[in-house]
C-alpha cells in the first residue's frame, strides 16, 4: 500500500486510536480500533478521508449526549441514527 504523505510503498493497514471533538464542541472523545494507515517511512498514522467523512456524518446523526469518553470504532458505528442522512452536508 502507498502512503498518501510520503508515497512510500511500505504503508500498512492498522487500527489505532483517534481523538474527536463532538459536533456540539462541548468535549472530545477517544475512539479506539479505528481503521488507519501507518507508514514506517515517515512515521505517520492517518485515517483515510472517506472514513473521516463517514465518521463525521455519523456523529451528526447520533445522540452524542450519552457517549462515554472512550469507545471502539465498532461500538461507535453501531450507535442508532436519529436521522437517515446528514441533511446539512451539501
Amino acid at each position: 500500500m502507498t502512503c498518501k504523505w510520503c508515497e512510500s510503498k511500505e504503508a500498512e493497514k492498522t487500527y489505532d486510536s483517534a481523538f474527536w471533538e463532538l459536533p456540539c464542541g462541548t468535549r472530545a472523545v477517544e475512539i479506539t480500533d479505528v481503521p488507519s494507515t501507518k507508514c514506517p517511512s515517515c512515521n505517520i498514522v492517518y485515517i483515510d478521508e472517506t472514513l473521516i467523512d463517514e465518521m463525521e456524518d455519523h456523529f451528526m446523526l447520533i445522540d452524542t449526549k450519552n457517549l462515554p469518553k472512550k469507545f471502539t470504532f465498532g461500538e461507535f458505528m453501531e450507535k442508532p441514527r436519529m436521522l437517515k442522512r446528514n441533511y446539512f452536508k451539501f
Side-chain angles (χ1 to χ4, degrees):
M1 134 171 250
T2 303
C3 176
K4 290 186 179 181
W5 295 94
C6 72
E7 299 181 357
S8 167
K9 303 291 185 201
E10 297 178 28
E12 53 194 32
K13 285 287 183 192
T14 186
Y15 296 89
D16 215 325
S17 291
F19 296 88
W20 227 274
E21 182 178 339
L22 297 182
C24 61
T26 56
R27 63 189 175 103
V29 294
E30 180 180 358
I31 308 170
T32 61
D33 301 323
V34 179
S36 308
T37 301
K38 182 176 184 176
C39 178
S41 296
C42 65
N43 293 318
I44 193 166
V45 177
Y46 62 91
I47 303 169
D48 190 83
E49 298 265 343
T50 56
L51 185 56
I52 290 173
D53 287 342
E54 186 179 335
M55 292 172 72
E56 289 285 341
D57 280 349
H58 199 64
F59 268 116
M60 295 295 290
L61 301 174
I62 65 172
D63 182 6
T64 60
K65 288 181 228 153
N66 297 320
L67 283 176
K69 292 181 181 182
K70 184 177 180 178
F71 46 88
T72 67
F73 177 76
E75 292 169 336
F76 168 61
M77 294 308 287
E78 289 174 358
K79 294 285 182 194
R81 294 179 170 197
M82 296 172 15
L83 297 171
K84 290 182 182 180
R85 62 185 284 266
N86 183 354
Y87 296 98
F88 301 103
K89 190 172 185 176
F90 303 104

